[in-house]
Amino acid sequence: MLERGQVANSWRRERWDSFRLLTPNWQSRLPGHRYDGPDPDGYMTMAEVTAFIEGFAARSGAPVRTGADVTSVRRAGDGYQVTTGGGEFRCRTVVIASGACNVPVVPPFAGAVPASVEQLTPFGYRGPAQLPDGGVLVVGASATGVQLAAELRRSGRPVTLSVGEHVRLPRTYRGRDVLWWMDASGVWDQRYDEIDDLTRARRLPSPQLIGTAERTTLDLNALTAMGVELVGRLAAVRDGRALFSGGLRNVFSLADLKMERLLDTFDAWAREHGRDDEAGPPERFAPTRAPERARLQLDLRGGEIRTIVWATGFRPDYGWLDVPVVDEKGRLRHEGGVVDSPGLYALGLPVLRRRRSTFIHGIESDAREVIDHLAGVALAGRPDA
Ligand SMILES: Cc1cc2nc3c(=O)[nH]c(=O)nc-3n(C[C@H](O)[C@H](O)[C@H](O)COP(=O)(O)OP(=O)(O)OC[C@H]3O[C@@H](n4cnc5c(N)ncnc54)[C@H](O)[C@@H]3O)c2cc1C
């Protein structure tokens, strides 16, 4: 196992100081290793996640070589030539487990933002103290965007949040963590080959969730109540102005509708499986309130906005992969983790084999199936098999 940094590198280096998992502790499970502390319903801090993964590395005896940055993988004979900063390897098979979120996505028009406005991505953001005083525009209202908008607003800054397509979820539903419902009802177990629009499922933004001791819901209504101003999707930056899409009401209705449908699925599951008595009564939530008149543009030269935080998602980085298996959008071509080149496999990508594939608790079943395939092929290829 080659790791360019240390074990749990992404958690050590690529998260902000106040970060907590949005999945509850009881859900943090890896093969033979699960959270066994006093607070199963809590959410791990960065230090706790790092310790959890380090614990798994030690317990599993995984042969990790840290500080081994893979700079090239290319086809060589019936296998691959792997180049790292510290040397070369030849191998029959390669499993790409380099993560789905290596680089923050920033729209190209970020280059047109006036120099007087500072720009940050979630990888560079550590906490509010690092930002100049004054207004912040947070672009993107998925898990990262809503969490950073709330933290920056609490620091006393005026915050404007630019909202595109998003996934609204309450933190708890009928008295239980909403992710308990995702798990128990089997929604998270839905397989990639059962999903109608897999491309869309793989591009779905992360849900608007935050892990706090109070299990607070951090949806757009909660942010509005905190004084965050909502605007539409950032469509362009032109002549020093940020231009936002209209139609915020439609965007909100769609997210509300999808949430209702998901809650209906949970209710139906509880009814059909005789679990209604275990949970509180079904709940429905107030629709997302749209601002009376959402601003359609913001002058970025006027001093109102001092910082832009791009919470516009993440993408994998395959700059080191010298095998033609990456499409024009930078996505790996694979079928359930079996990559389009003999002996090449992938793990840890969105909906790789199930809806929960990119979460910590999603890896075990995916890894078993992908490794079964790998072992089957390796065995079939042996002259004595
Ligand atoms: C902001 C954010 C919040 C998240 N919150 C949660 C959450 O609450 N719960 C949850 O379950 N999941 C969460 N996730 C998803 C989380 O990323 C995955 O659960 C988990 O980290 C995936 O593990 P992984 O090993 O596949 O990828 P990563 O954790 O990304 O690990 C990939 C590793 O590969 C290394 N690497 C990459 N390229 C190279 C190279 N060329 N050479 C050598 N090494 C390389 C990296 O250094 C890294 O250590 C979150 C993700 C993000 C971005």
Side-chain angles (χ1 to χ4, degrees):
M1 289 190 62
L2 304 176
E3 165 56 56
R4 64 180 166 195
Q6 292 164 275
V7 168
N9 205 48
S10 57
W11 301 107
R12 287 174 201 275
R13 307 210 167 270
E14 294 166 2
R15 309 282 181 267
W16 51 99
D17 292 345
S18 66
F19 180 89
R20 277 179 186 271
L21 287 188
L22 51 80
T23 42
N25 290 335
W26 58 263
Q27 209 158 39
S28 288
R29 42 183 196 245
L30 289 166
H33 187 66
R34 57 174 58 227
Y35 175 87
D36 59 0
D39 185 18
D41 293 325
Y43 308 89
M44 288 187 197
T45 61
M46 229 165 20
E48 288 166 339
V49 194
T50 306
F52 179 77
I53 294 175
E54 274 179 332
F56 177 69
R59 190 170 185 162
S60 65
V64 188
R65 290 200 195 190
T66 51
D69 191 5
V70 175
T71 53
S72 161
V73 169
R74 57 184 183 280
R75 195 99 179 103
D78 62 353
Y80 293 90
Q81 178 82 17
V82 178
T83 309
T84 74
E88 302 272 326
F89 295 84
R90 281 296 284 271
C91 49
R92 287 278 299 278
T93 8
V94 174
V95 179
I96 301 172
S98 50
C101 302
N102 306 121
V103 196
V105 173
V106 175
F109 49 73
V113 170
S116 56
V117 176
E118 283 203 22
Q119 300 185 51
L120 276 175
T121 71
F123 278 18
Y125 176 85
R126 286 292 169 271
Q130 153 198 21
L131 270 64
D133 285 340
V136 186
L137 170 64
V138 177
V139 185
S142 293
T144 302
V146 296
Q147 291 181 27
L148 300 192
E151 174 166 279
L152 288 161
R153 180 67 199 126
R154 275 196 298 269
S155 77
R157 289 173 175 77
V159 174
T160 307
L161 178 64
S162 163
V163 185
E165 190 195 352
H166 58 276
V167 177
R168 180 184 179 196
L169 282 185
R171 179 71 266 185
T172 57
Y173 181 61
R174 300 177 64 179
R176 292 204 180 241
D177 197 294
V178 74
L179 300 184
W180 178 86
W181 289 96
M182 294 284 279
D183 216 42
S185 67
V187 169
W188 246 348
D189 253 338
Q190 201 180 5
R191 290 179 57 91
Y192 75 112
D193 44 12
E194 296 165 359
I195 295 173
D196 289 340
D197 191 346
L198 183 59
T199 309
R200 193 178 148 67
R202 286 184 168 157
R203 289 179 42 219
L204 211 60
S206 58
Q208 290 173 334
L209 285 176
I210 186 169
T212 62
E214 302 76 27
R215 300 211 281 179
T216 13
T217 290
L218 188 61
D219 58 13
L220 297 176
N221 285 346
L223 287 164
T224 301
M226 290 172 71
V228 171
E229 178 185 351
L230 305 181
V231 293
R233 186 172 197 280
L234 181 55
V237 175
R238 207 172 296 141
D239 303 327
R241 289 176 176 276
L243 308 179
F244 305 104
S245 307
L248 215 44
R249 262 171 231 282
N250 289 343
V251 175
F252 291 178
S253 310
L254 194 63
D256 290 351
L257 183 75
K258 286 186 181 162
M259 176 180 72
E260 303 253 320
R261 277 200 203 134
L262 186 65
L263 303 181
D264 287 344
T265 310
F266 296 159
D267 293 340
W269 170 83
R271 234 181 1 259
E272 284 157 23
H273 290 79
R275 307 287 292 265
D276 261 335
D277 295 344
E278 275 178 50
E283 295 174 83
R284 284 303 173 262
F285 300 91
T288 307
R289 285 189 304 279
E292 277 302 311
R293 269 215 312 260
R295 286 200 276 179
L296 290 174
Q297 48 175 286
L298 242 169
D299 187 354
L300 297 173
R301 296 159 305 192
E304 180 186 347
I305 298 295
R306 298 290 311 280
T307 314
I308 296 182
V309 179
W310 298 105
T312 26
F314 304 92
R315 65 172 175 81
D317 174 18
Y318 298 120
W320 47 271
L321 185 58
D322 298 318
V323 186
V325 288
V326 178
D327 70 16
E328 69 287 350
K329 296 212 166 117
R331 290 182 300 233
L332 204 61
R333 278 200 307 277
H334 70 92
E335 175 68 27
V338 180
V339 181
D340 201 7
S341 176
L344 202 55
Y345 295 87
L347 283 171
L349 298 178
V351 202
L352 186 106
R353 286 198 164 233
R354 289 170 183 77
R355 281 203 189 267
R356 61 182 154 104
S357 288
T358 28
F359 289 89
I360 292 171
H361 68 291
I363 192 65
E364 179 165 3
S365 38
D366 278 12
R368 285 191 196 291
E369 288 174 22
V370 168
I371 301 310
D372 274 353
H373 186 284
L374 185 162
V377 170
L379 206 61
R382 265 175 37 188
D384 57 343

